[in-house]
Amino acid sequence: MTGLYRPRDGRIIAGVCAGLARRFGMSPGTVRLLAVLSCLLPGPQFVAYIVLWIMLPNEERYLARSGR
């Protein structure tokens, strides 16, 4: 497993789903599908996505901070 960050490649909107997929060893397409399906349920899914977009660092910032 790797750290949680928004990667440079594989982004569709902000890279949140791609970052979550990398972190948990899943396919980005699967995470995106789950995110879209979850929007059919009541709850704050859009707010959670926006919060993750703001809170997750870009790959460059993550690598600079972790010294990798």
Side-chain angles (χ1 to χ4, degrees):
M1 274 198 249
T2 63
L4 189 54
Y5 59 89
R6 294 182 297 124
R8 276 180 276 180
D9 57 335
R11 289 184 178 189
I12 297 281
I13 296 176
V16 173
C17 291
L20 290 171
R22 278 192 184 180
R23 174 66 173 96
F24 297 108
M26 299 173 68
S27 163
T30 302
V31 175
R32 289 181 185 118
L33 179 64
L34 290 172
V36 168
L37 290 176
S38 75
C39 290
L40 299 174
L41 301 170
Q45 290 85 349
F46 292 112
V47 174
Y49 188 89
I50 292 171
V51 168
L52 286 172
W53 186 350
I54 293 168
M55 297 299 291
L56 292 180
N58 284 330
E59 185 174 8
E60 297 88 16
R61 204 177 285 168
Y62 173 79
L63 294 176
R65 198 173 353 156
S66 66
R68 292 182 187 188

